[in-house]
Amino acid sequence: MKIHNPIIRGFYPDPSICEAEGKYYIACSSFQYLPGVPVFESEDLVNWKQVANALTRTTQVELHKVPSSGGVFAPTLRYHEGIFYMVTNNNTFGKNFYIYTDDIKGEWSEPIFVDQEGIDPSLLFDNGKVYFTSNGNDAEGKGCILQCEIDIKTGEKLTESIPVWGGSGGRYLESPHLYHIGDWYYMMAAEGGTEYGHMITYARSREPFGPFDGYQGNPVLTNRNLGGNQSLIQGIGHGDLIRDKKGNYYIVCLGFRQSGEWQPYHHLGREVFLAPVNWQEDGWFSAGEQGIVTEWMDVDLNGQQDMDMYQVSFENTGADDLRWSYLRDYHKENYQFTGKGLKLKGTKITLDEADTPTFAGIRQSEFHTCLNVAVSGEAKEAGITFYMDENQHYDLSLVQEKGVRKAALRLRIGDAACIANTVDLPEGMEKVEFSVVSNPDRYEFYCMVDGEKKFLGSARTKYLSSEVAGGFTGVLMGLYAVDEDGKWAEFEELEWKQG
């Protein structure tokens, strides 16, 4: 069959995969958002559904005022003797840690820290030993893969951290995963930076600590040489191997869908892609379609990809929906799901601050979307935002001050912020209906006044892209409220069609 990449769409970067009791699980990065590390489940490697968030408590991870694209970096998800382990890094504080659970859909443990530098930590359980691998620097300050053996009960290092592989020569060597397959230990990594030069490379050894010999065909998977209209899929890298029930191997990896051919950019974030692996008789492997990832890939899998999982309404998106994300510290008392909508309690913190505004967001998964929502209440400002970070976001809001109520379109692009347009609302109009239509190039903003659909303006998607904003995240659609006196806003009739 042919699968349609990406297999998980929208800002779900740095995928790591494992198999447990006949099902597959993927964990992804979450950076400054809580709950953290979304976890997806599949029975066929094709159709995925979010079933958990591994980090749900501030005691597990410190996100207080962390910068955007700080916080929780790439996780690795592993399963061993009935226990799931998720190892990751809080990059803001330079700490590697892991948590564990015997119920992936339940609560996870408090963190156990490992005293090894670097990011993108990984675990291998092998013959009674546990190897801890991350990126780092050797004695000469050059990038390398570091590795040690640990006590999985305590996180204590049982050996020194030593460099085991220096990569194939690309910059930003990261994302190491160690596997024991047959007679060989395989070290897979990412190089080139998580941008247009991203690539997956690997090496192998007879021993877990090397020496490792690089694959002569490195990079084994990359789209770095494709430009213009050759491929709108870019940034392929950060891969993890999985074996299916038939014995076939696949790589899940991150990539992104660009807009524009000659001056490309991407704003949906890095997403999850899948590519088949082909083994050679000498124990080396190749991947993808001649080493690249395409939108449609031939695979020996059976399943039906469900695009309905990306649609949003209050009918199917209540308090228990795992897709809701909150910025940094989550103050649960400021959010009330009512059954027909969502009430938000405003605070003095705005979307322009690297802090914890009242904000509930869901990732944008497609270029073409159509959003409708009704906003009411007493909060000074409340509405919807298409949010990249505190310096780049577009806000369509109900603003009220001194008895005057307006619909306002506010654009924040770096240091430039402005009210692009306002529409006065009739006296006695308790609720305003907003809509936003997006395509690959633009967002268009509307409100209903006296039965007439008013156009407030449009803004380019480019200014919410990683190429402009920087960082590692993607756009979320957020519902938000601001009011220094703690007044409430109410959101109803939410419908967001993506794709």
Side-chain angles (χ1 to χ4, degrees):
M1 66 168 289
K2 285 184 178 289
I3 60 161
H4 189 197
N5 274 315
I7 57 170
I8 302 177
R9 308 168 80 82
F11 158 50
Y12 292 107
D14 306 322
S16 176
I17 191 168
C18 72
E19 185 271 336
E21 300 176 357
K23 295 184 179 180
Y24 307 99
Y25 296 91
I26 284 178
C28 299
S29 295
S30 51
F31 299 96
Q32 71 267 33
Y33 292 97
L34 196 73
V37 185
V39 178
F40 296 83
E41 180 184 77
S42 175
E43 295 184 356
D44 53 22
L45 288 174
V46 175
N47 185 43
W48 294 89
K49 180 180 180 181
Q50 188 174 351
V51 295
N53 290 290
L55 297 171
T56 58
R57 308 184 299 277
T58 56
T59 57
Q60 292 174 306
V61 60
E62 174 60 63
L63 295 177
H64 182 64
K65 292 188 177 182
V66 302
S68 291
S69 293
V72 178
F73 275 36
T76 296
L77 186 65
R78 294 293 181 256
Y79 181 74
H80 179 69
E81 295 183 348
I83 303 295
F84 290 92
Y85 297 86
M86 190 284 294
V87 58
T88 188
N89 172 274
N90 188 331
N91 185 65
T92 301
F93 301 103
K95 294 182 178 181
N96 286 312
F97 67 93
Y98 60 90
I99 57 177
Y100 59 89
T101 183
D102 61 2
D103 178 7
I104 199 167
K105 300 177 185 179
E107 289 294 317
W108 292 66
S109 72
E110 292 299 300
I112 298 174
F113 294 91
V114 178
D115 185 20
Q116 179 166 296
E117 68 170 286
I119 60 171
D120 301 357
S122 184
L123 296 172
L124 172 66
F125 294 84
D126 182 60
N127 296 327
K129 296 183 178 181
V130 183
Y131 300 101
F132 185 93
T133 313
S134 66
N135 84 335
N137 294 290
D138 62 18
E140 298 177 353
K142 296 180 179 179
C144 70
I145 302 302
L146 291 175
Q147 191 164 279
C148 69
E149 183 186 340
I150 66 168
D151 182 337
I152 196 62
K153 293 183 179 179
T154 65
E156 178 186 0
K157 290 169 60 174
L158 302 179
T159 65
E160 291 297 315
S161 299
I162 63 171
V164 294
W165 190 45
S168 68
R171 62 177 181 170
Y172 302 133
L173 177 61
E174 57 193 0
S175 177
H177 291 306
L178 181 67
Y179 313 92
H180 190 181
I181 303 173
D183 295 330
W184 294 96
Y185 288 88
Y186 294 86
M187 181 70 74
M188 195 160 71
E191 301 181 54
T194 186
E195 298 142 354
Y196 293 87
H198 212 197
M199 55 184 171
I200 297 174
T201 61
Y202 77 96
R204 72 180 186 184
S205 171
R206 296 288 187 181
E207 302 295 332
F209 283 97
F212 284 89
D213 296 320
Y215 173 50
Q216 291 299 308
N218 275 328
V220 67
L221 201 62
T222 184
N223 284 28
R224 65 180 182 175
N225 294 327
L226 303 177
N229 61 3
Q230 290 178 296
S231 177
L232 297 183
I233 296 172
Q234 296 292 332
I236 292 295
H238 200 110
D240 201 4
L241 277 171
I242 189 66
R243 181 182 180 183
D244 75 0
K245 300 165 189 175
K246 300 177 183 178
N248 299 318
Y249 279 81
Y250 297 88
I251 291 176
V252 295
C253 60
L254 69 79
F256 56 81
R257 289 173 285 166
Q258 72 177 43
S259 291
E261 293 183 8
W262 310 115
Q263 293 183 321
Y265 60 92
H266 67 288
H267 64 286
L268 300 185
R270 298 170 299 157
E271 309 173 285
V272 182
F273 292 74
L274 183 141
V277 167
N278 300 297
W279 288 95
Q280 303 166 11
E281 291 184 0
D282 58 4
W284 296 102
F285 63 85
S286 58
E289 186 175 296
Q290 297 182 333
I292 66 172
V293 175
T294 57
E295 181 179 6
W296 295 94
M297 300 212 75
D298 284 312
V299 293
D300 185 18
L301 296 170
N302 293 301
Q304 179 64 44
Q305 288 176 280
D306 180 13
M307 295 303 172
D308 289 340
M309 65 175 285
Y310 302 104
Q311 310 311 318
V312 180
S313 71
F314 282 135
E315 292 179 354
N316 67 10
T317 314
D320 297 331
D321 194 300
L322 297 168
R323 293 176 295 173
W324 288 113
S325 294
Y326 309 91
L327 282 163
R328 304 176 180 90
D329 306 325
Y330 169 44
H331 302 301
K332 188 175 181 179
E333 65 275 11
N334 293 338
Y335 303 80
Q336 292 182 5
F337 285 90
T338 64
K340 65 175 183 178
L342 173 62
K343 294 180 67 176
L344 298 181
K345 182 181 180 181
T347 71
K348 65 180 181 179
I349 300 171
T350 73
L351 297 175
D352 293 336
E353 301 173 65
D355 206 327
T356 308
T358 301
F359 166 101
I362 291 180
R363 291 158 173 82
Q364 182 176 347
S365 67
E366 303 298 336
F367 296 118
H368 294 276
T369 78
C370 182
L371 170 69
N372 296 284
V373 68
V375 184
S376 60
E378 300 299 324
K380 182 177 180 181
E381 179 182 344
I384 52 181
T385 178
F386 281 80
Y387 182 93
M388 172 59 86
D389 59 29
E390 63 272 12
N391 296 314
Q392 273 81 209
H393 51 90
Y394 302 151
D395 317 323
L396 182 58
S397 59
L398 169 61
V399 178
Q400 43 195 338
E401 189 172 13
K402 298 180 180 179
V404 178
R405 297 161 61 88
K406 297 182 179 182
L409 173 61
R410 181 174 184 268
L411 308 178
R412 172 72 191 266
I413 304 169
D415 293 330
C418 71
I419 302 297
N421 199 1
T422 63
V423 173
D424 292 333
L425 300 178
E427 186 175 349
M429 184 176 177
E430 297 292 331
K431 181 166 59 176
V432 60
E433 297 177 17
F434 289 133
S435 65
V436 182
V437 177
S438 70
N439 60 49
D441 301 319
R442 286 190 174 273
Y443 295 97
E444 297 178 351
F445 302 91
Y446 302 87
C447 71
M448 292 292 293
V449 179
D450 291 333
E452 182 182 354
K453 191 173 185 179
K454 298 279 190 179
F455 176 66
L456 275 80
S458 67
R460 295 177 63 181
T461 57
K462 180 176 182 178
Y463 298 123
L464 300 187
S465 71
S466 296
E467 286 75 7
V468 174
F472 306 117
T473 60
V475 171
L476 277 72
M477 182 280 295
L479 309 178
Y480 78 98
V482 179
D483 192 288
E484 59 187 16
D485 296 323
K487 294 178 182 177
W488 290 81
E490 186 164 0
F491 299 81
E492 297 175 318
E493 304 168 30
L494 174 66
E495 184 178 30
W496 192 23
K497 295 180 179 181
Q498 303 201 63

